Amino acid sequence: MKKGKISSYDRLTRNIALTVITVSLAPLILVGGVIFDQFRSIYEEKVYSHLSEVVDKHATNIDAFLRDKLYEIQYLNTAYSYEQLTSAEFLDETLRGMQQQFGRIFVDFGVIDAHGRQVAYAGPFKLLGADYSNADWYRKSRDRNAYVSDVFEGLRQSPHFIITINNGKGERAWTLRATVDFLAFSHLVENIRIGKTGFAYILNDQGVFQTKPHEDQAEKLVLTPGKRIETAGAEGGVTIRHSEGSDGEIYITVSSPLNGGNWELVYQQSLGDAFSDMIRAEYVVLIIFALGGLGIVAMAVLVSRKLVGRCRAMDKESELMNRQMVETGKLAAIGELAAGIAHEINNPVAIMIEEAGWVGDLLKDEAPPMPSRGEIDRALNQVVTQGRRCKDITHKLLSFARQTDPRVTEVSLPALIREVVELSMQPAKYGHVDFSLNLDQDMPPVAASMSELQQVFLNLVNNSIQAMEADGGVLTLGCSRQGNDAVVTVQDTGPGIPAANLGRIFDPFFTTKPVGKGSGLGLSICFGIIHQMGGDIEVESAVGVGTKFTVRLPFPPPADQQERQQEMYHD
Amino acid sequence: MTWTDTERPAVRLLIVDDEAGFTDVLCKRMARRGVNATSVSCGEDAVQVLRRAEFDVAIVDLKLQGMDGVEILKVFKLMAPEMPVIMLTGHGSDEAREACMKLGAEGYLSKPVDFELLFVKTLHWGAGRATA
């Protein structure tokens, strides 16, 4: 029963805590999740659109650069004749002029005849007469008016690319070519640096690097193109992909076509780096969320425990009250029963007394002198006397049963104690307990409920008698005045109470009697009654010597005494 | 105060009590002392008896089947206002005593009653009327 009760409280605690946690965390998680998701998609959108804008802008720049260079060469081609351009001095002068004008972007100029032989050259290398008929770039450029080659090392063993313009037809065909400085070109792309891992490079249609890759970039990193990301903010022609790197990281690649689709500008950045700000923000949010969640859980557990603790205390209190009420009800029922029995006994006793009286009457008037007349009279008297004794007992029982009255009246303690002693005579006799009364007859009355006080002293006296039942003993009752208190002592010569139990005897339900014999409420009710009257009850006990209960009750402040005191002060 | 048979007029006593054992012996003892006692066991019988005869004093038990002592007291005080009534009870509470006294009862004794006391009361209340 007790165990089941405890577990039901635990279950209640758990249920309250779980409910509170669920109710508070569920909306938090829901709202948090939605905001989290929104924030993430907005931020991703922003990052992608920013990257695509950067890449697009640079692609436009690079395209513009290439177009400019092409136009410049085209201008030379149309402004000057074949004869002028094949003149070494003129070509040299033109190159220097261009370099002065635009910086060292053009490395060299050359004119190639229909057979792929360089017939004129201006520049730092000795390439006059070089045969380009088998060069990849030369062959690709043949069927086009203007052509920008891929980057290659070529004869000079250093990376560069070539712009070619074709003129004429058949045997009269000739080609103007210009080499663009690779470093100057690379520079255009190297400027694109974002975060720790973000950088750009250019690939041709075969996927060969057209610019120097970043030094930190491991040459061996291989990207496997992954899913294409569609974003609203992406510029036209820009493609964004998630690619898996050979180092296990996911990379974002943003690419845009260059040079009429022959090349591709690629910007690459690791996903973690691109979204580092977002990830940091997410971590902060998650930590706050986790801490908040922990706080909620802790509070829920704490609050539910406190709540259930309060419930448990209240349950205990109400259980105690119920038990006390049952006990009081039991007392009242016993009282009623006693009253009924007493009433019923009175009638036969009355008849017995009357009959004895009748016999006496008859004997007095009619009987002849008998030798045992004296003995007969004595016997009849005894019947009458014992009948009266019965009457006294029943009257006492009746008066006790009637006194369930909590009204406060003036109570004379010596009289009350005598009454209690008389009521306890019978059990005392069986227990071989002798009473010793030490009552101060002149003490003033106390203000209390007669029936409640009677209950207290009957309880104490009965307890003492029960304690001494085995071996008999002396029960000493005393009352006296000590200062402003009336003091009643109930002292027995019983076995005493062990020190371990002494502190608990006024606790409700504490009993050392066998199950069913005592409710453990008697002394706690006494304690309650005495304290309600503003008094105090104490116990002293020594094992093997006996136990002494001392009840202190305050005297009501006597009105005349107060007046007298006031007079004295006035004097 | 002592009474002798010659000096004393016969007091007519009506006893209302359902304890036959009690009323029988009471009547006998009263009769032996010159009291002319009649006993009935319930209120209805008492009313019948009182209609036919006159009594100097009545002793009424408080707890009875049918009409209880208080009701009988009320009826007696209506039928024979001059007749003193002594109430007798198994146990007397102060409230019941006060109620009876208010209704005009002359005495209130509790059982088992001392016969001598009851006899003296009977004579005290009854003799006055018998002589008058």
Side-chain angles (χ1 to χ4, degrees):
Chain A
M1 167 89 190
K2 196 121 196 165
K3 207 165 177 190
K5 202 132 200 176
I6 284 169
S7 81
S8 90
Y9 283 122
D10 285 348
R11 202 160 49 238
L12 186 63
T13 312
R14 207 176 49 224
N15 285 352
I16 292 175
L18 278 180
T19 308
V20 170
I21 289 167
T22 312
V23 166
S24 16
L25 279 188
L28 197 67
I29 289 170
L30 214 69
V31 170
V34 168
I35 290 174
F36 206 77
D37 185 61
Q38 288 289 314
F39 167 74
R40 181 180 270 244
S41 70
I42 289 168
Y43 192 88
E44 278 178 356
E45 193 76 28
K46 220 171 151 78
V47 166
Y48 289 139
S49 80
H50 171 69
L51 287 180
S52 75
E53 193 187 323
V54 166
V55 168
D56 188 61
K57 210 174 86 199
H58 278 84
T60 311
N61 279 350
I62 292 164
D63 261 345
F65 172 83
L66 289 174
R67 207 166 44 243
D68 281 355
K69 297 308 134 197
L70 191 66
Y71 287 166
E72 279 160 21
I73 303 305
Q74 267 177 339
Y75 170 73
L76 287 181
N77 189 58
T78 48
Y80 304 111
S81 67
Y82 176 76
E83 286 70 29
Q84 279 177 306
L85 290 172
T86 45
S87 139
E89 293 83 30
F90 182 81
L91 201 60
D92 214 35
E93 212 169 298
T94 308
L95 178 65
R96 267 205 297 280
M98 295 278 275
Q99 283 176 342
Q100 269 170 9
Q101 191 78 26
F102 304 112
R104 293 186 61 87
I105 290 168
F106 291 112
V107 179
D108 59 11
F109 288 154
V111 177
I112 300 163
D113 66 11
H115 304 290
R117 188 166 297 278
Q118 187 154 265
V119 291
Y121 175 79
F125 305 104
K126 289 195 165 86
L127 292 171
L128 187 64
D131 183 6
Y132 291 119
S133 58
N134 288 323
D136 192 38
W137 63 271
Y138 180 72
R139 276 191 282 137
K140 277 186 185 159
S141 75
R142 290 316 298 149
D143 52 350
R144 275 178 254 193
N145 192 21
Y147 176 69
V148 179
S149 79
D150 290 343
V151 176
F152 66 103
E153 292 200 332
L155 297 172
R156 67 192 73 177
Q157 298 297 310
S158 88
H160 62 286
F161 69 90
I162 287 167
I163 297 171
T164 52
I165 309 288
N166 290 318
N167 296 286
K169 282 200 168 88
E171 281 301 305
R172 298 278 316 255
W174 59 279
T175 305
L176 177 62
R177 63 158 275 269
T179 306
V180 177
D181 179 37
F182 174 73
L183 287 174
F185 179 68
S186 263
H187 218 65
L188 287 174
V189 177
E190 277 169 4
N191 282 341
I192 311 177
R193 299 275 294 127
I194 300 173
K196 278 183 201 151
T197 59
F199 67 96
Y201 49 87
I202 295 172
L203 298 174
N204 70 3
D205 51 4
Q206 262 93 53
V208 178
F209 278 109
Q210 301 299 296
T211 53
K212 208 166 57 174
H214 190 251
E215 306 94 49
D216 298 347
Q217 168 76 0
E219 291 281 334
K220 288 156 202 122
L221 180 72
V222 178
L223 291 180
T224 314
K227 65 169 177 163
R228 189 178 160 153
I229 308 291
E230 302 288 348
T231 75
E235 303 286 332
V238 177
T239 312
I240 301 173
R241 281 178 194 283
H242 276 186
S243 306
E244 198 179 327
S246 54
D247 57 356
E249 263 197 84
I250 303 283
Y251 287 87
I252 304 171
T253 53
V254 186
S255 54
S256 179
L258 277 181
N259 192 12
N262 289 333
W263 294 355
E264 198 172 32
L265 174 64
V266 179
Y267 171 81
Q268 162 192 327
Q269 188 174 15
S270 85
L271 201 67
D273 187 29
F275 293 113
S276 63
D277 283 349
M278 185 182 82
I279 289 165
R280 200 164 36 245
E282 283 177 358
Y283 276 134
V284 170
V285 168
L286 273 176
I287 286 168
I288 291 171
F289 193 85
L291 287 178
L294 272 177
I296 287 172
V297 169
M299 278 312 286
V301 168
L302 222 72
V303 166
S304 60
R305 277 208 188 141
K306 214 166 188 175
L307 213 68
V308 171
R310 185 92 36 102
C311 268
R312 196 186 295 214
M314 270 161 65
D315 279 359
K316 219 172 181 177
E317 219 165 271
S318 75
E319 194 188 352
L320 175 64
M321 260 168 65
N322 279 344
R323 292 281 289 271
Q324 275 177 346
M325 268 168 72
V326 166
E327 208 62 23
T328 315
K330 231 195 265 173
L331 255 172
I334 291 169
E336 242 166 74
L337 199 68
I341 292 168
H343 192 255
E344 288 310 311
I345 284 173
N346 272 348
N347 277 321
V349 167
I351 295 168
M352 268 157 54
I353 292 173
E354 286 314 310
E355 292 287 2
W358 177 230
V359 173
D361 287 353
L362 292 177
L363 281 176
K364 202 179 348 176
D365 294 349
E366 298 169 13
M370 293 186 278
S372 54
R373 175 62 193 266
E375 193 50 35
I376 291 170
D377 283 343
R378 192 204 59 77
L380 282 175
N381 270 338
Q382 185 69 347
V383 171
V384 173
T385 310
Q386 295 309 318
R388 289 211 181 105
R389 202 170 144 203
C390 282
K391 174 189 160 179
D392 286 347
I393 292 168
T394 55
H395 276 237
K396 256 174 227 146
L397 255 176
L398 281 167
S399 74
F400 171 68
R402 266 200 301 273
Q403 280 169 2
T404 48
D405 182 4
R407 272 179 306 178
V408 172
T409 50
E410 287 203 340
V411 177
S412 162
L413 286 174
L416 180 77
I417 291 168
R418 269 181 218 288
E419 208 173 317
V420 168
V421 167
E422 276 173 44
L423 278 170
S424 309
M425 259 329 177
Q426 202 59 23
K429 210 194 274 178
Y430 287 127
H432 307 288
V433 172
D434 294 324
F435 283 101
S436 156
L437 300 184
N438 182 15
L439 309 176
D440 175 6
Q441 296 296 339
D442 302 327
M443 65 185 297
V446 293
S449 155
M450 181 74 143
S451 57
E452 285 180 351
L453 267 190
Q454 204 169 28
Q455 197 183 345
V456 169
F457 293 128
L458 259 180
N459 229 315
L460 293 178
V461 167
N462 280 339
N463 277 350
S464 293
I465 290 173
Q466 278 172 13
M468 293 187 286
E469 231 165 19
D471 307 313
V474 179
L475 178 52
T476 309
L477 286 155
C479 69
S480 60
R481 177 181 188 152
Q482 284 180 14
N484 285 328
D485 289 336
V487 178
V488 179
T489 55
V490 180
Q491 185 167 14
D492 65 41
T493 56
I497 303 166
N501 291 343
L502 208 56
R504 300 169 59 198
I505 60 165
F506 294 116
D507 289 355
F509 306 119
F510 176 78
T511 181
T512 54
K513 294 176 190 170
V515 177
K517 286 276 175 170
S519 64
L521 281 174
L523 283 177
S524 82
I525 291 174
C526 290
F527 187 85
I529 290 173
I530 296 297
H531 273 254
Q532 213 164 21
M533 290 174 180
D536 197 14
I537 179 165
E538 287 165 12
V539 61
E540 301 161 51
S541 186
V543 174
V545 177
T547 306
K548 180 183 182 185
F549 283 91
T550 307
V551 176
R552 285 171 194 281
L553 289 169
F555 285 118
D560 59 314
Q561 196 182 329
Q562 280 179 343
E563 277 167 24
R564 224 180 298 144
Q565 274 181 346
Q566 273 183 349
E567 277 167 27
M568 271 165 61
Y569 288 127
H570 284 304
D571 289 341
Chain B
M1 194 159 41
T2 54
W3 297 86
T4 63
D5 287 346
T6 47
E7 287 172 335
R8 197 174 62 201
V11 174
R12 291 159 299 173
L13 169 67
L14 175 61
I15 302 171
V16 189
D17 196 330
D18 54 358
E19 278 289 332
F22 180 66
T23 52
D24 285 355
V25 71
L26 202 58
C27 283
K28 281 189 248 176
R29 293 190 78 184
M30 286 292 181
R32 196 151 262 271
R33 300 186 188 205
V35 175
N36 185 5
T38 308
S39 75
V40 289
S41 64
C42 64
E44 288 74 9
D45 291 352
V47 172
Q48 294 291 326
V49 168
L50 193 59
R51 267 200 198 131
R52 288 195 299 269
E54 203 178 317
F55 292 91
D56 301 317
V57 63
I59 295 174
V60 180
D61 189 14
L62 203 59
K63 205 177 146 202
L64 287 170
Q65 300 281 323
M67 285 171 81
D68 72 4
V70 175
E71 285 169 48
I72 294 169
L73 173 63
K74 284 183 199 163
V75 174
F76 280 9
K77 285 295 167 188
L78 283 173
M79 291 175 72
E82 304 294 312
M83 181 178 69
V85 180
I86 299 166
M87 302 305 293
L88 201 56
T89 172
H91 68 101
S93 70
D94 291 344
E95 290 81 21
R97 175 192 289 269
E98 266 169 43
C100 292
M101 288 308 187
K102 227 175 241 174
L103 287 168
E106 271 71 18
Y108 188 94
L109 299 171
S110 59
K111 277 192 208 169
V113 73
D114 182 11
F115 177 78
E116 299 303 332
L117 178 68
L118 190 62
F119 178 63
V120 168
K121 291 259 176 196
T122 305
L123 284 191
H124 172 73
W125 291 110
R129 265 176 53 81
T131 46

